[in-house]
Amino acid sequence: MTAEVSCPQCGAVVPDIEGPTHAYVPSAPGCWAAFSALRADEMLRFPGSEANNLVVDSYMAQHPGNGLDRRDRQSVFVHLVSLCAVTEREASPTRSPEVLRAILARQMEFPVIRRARGPGDLTVLSATDAMSLEDHDTRVRRWAGSVWESWREYHQAIRAALDASGVSALILSPDHEHPF
Ligand SMILES: [Zn+2]
């Protein structure tokens, strides 16, 4: 049996393996492998899923680095803005790339942010092995909501960045548009 280890950033209990990780995403190799496997699985089984971008947003926002690297600060912040758009503004997760572009077009520097209460209860493992497309989307949305909630002391700053980007009006799905 392979020994297990708890991912230092999200707390997922994963096989203690050697393996690649992302340059500025300090996850356990076993956690990065679980993320990579989930991405491969959804490309194969749920290629048109609304939630595919949300997997990336949730994972990146749940794995902040120490904030010393500009790319690390930027990654956590912009993916949180995207989570905000989906979880609070009912934007479709398919609009995530537009949100990221709009934030990056406007903002070059990002603050160091630190979670006060840990990474939340759900991890990438909660979204693995979905039974159906609907199950996949439900699991990913639950995980995304948990990650967003874990950063609650920064919600106001993130909302402000989303509002300032001007993308808010563009990303709302027609069902939620103001009638005027
Ligand atoms: Zn992790």
Side-chain angles (χ1 to χ4, degrees), residues 22-35:
H22 190 283
Y24 50 88
V25 180
S27 52
C31 183
W32 184 255
F35 171 62

Side-chain angles (χ1 to χ4, degrees), residues 34-46:
F35 171 62
S36 304
L38 174 61
R39 296 286 290 152
D41 184 46
E42 67 181 358
M43 290 308 157
L44 199 66
R45 292 199 296 149
F46 317 122

Side-chain angles (χ1 to χ4, degrees), residues 53-92:
N53 289 316
L54 202 52
V55 167
V56 178
D57 289 332
S58 303
Y59 193 85
M60 294 304 173
Q62 200 172 26
H63 291 80
N66 56 17
L68 297 179
D69 187 319
R70 188 193 62 80
R71 295 168 306 170
D72 150 34
R73 294 195 298 277
Q74 172 179 307
S75 171
V76 176
F77 195 93
V78 300
H79 287 293
L80 279 172
V81 175
S82 186
L83 285 184
C84 176
V86 173
T87 58
E88 292 199 339
R89 308 290 172 86
E90 300 181 60
S92 164

Side-chain angles (χ1 to χ4, degrees), residues 83-167:
L83 285 184
C84 176
V86 173
T87 58
E88 292 199 339
R89 308 290 172 86
E90 300 181 60
S92 164
T94 58
R95 315 304 288 270
S96 171
E98 288 162 74
V99 176
L100 303 190
R101 268 198 301 276
I103 298 294
L104 292 173
R106 194 177 173 281
Q107 212 167 325
M108 293 293 289
E109 192 41 75
F110 296 88
V112 178
I113 59 176
R114 299 194 194 287
R115 286 177 296 214
R117 297 174 194 81
D121 294 334
L122 300 178
T123 70
V124 61
L125 300 182
S126 72
T128 316
D129 296 330
M131 306 296 286
S132 64
L133 173 64
E134 194 187 7
D135 185 32
H136 174 69
D137 285 11
T138 303
R139 285 166 181 243
V140 173
R141 280 179 179 277
R142 263 195 223 122
W143 174 34
S146 169
V147 173
W148 171 242
E149 197 47 40
S150 75
W151 287 101
R152 68 180 80 88
E153 56 271 44
Y154 292 100
H155 283 181
Q156 252 177 317
I158 304 285
R159 286 176 196 131
L162 177 60
D163 290 336
S165 74
V167 78

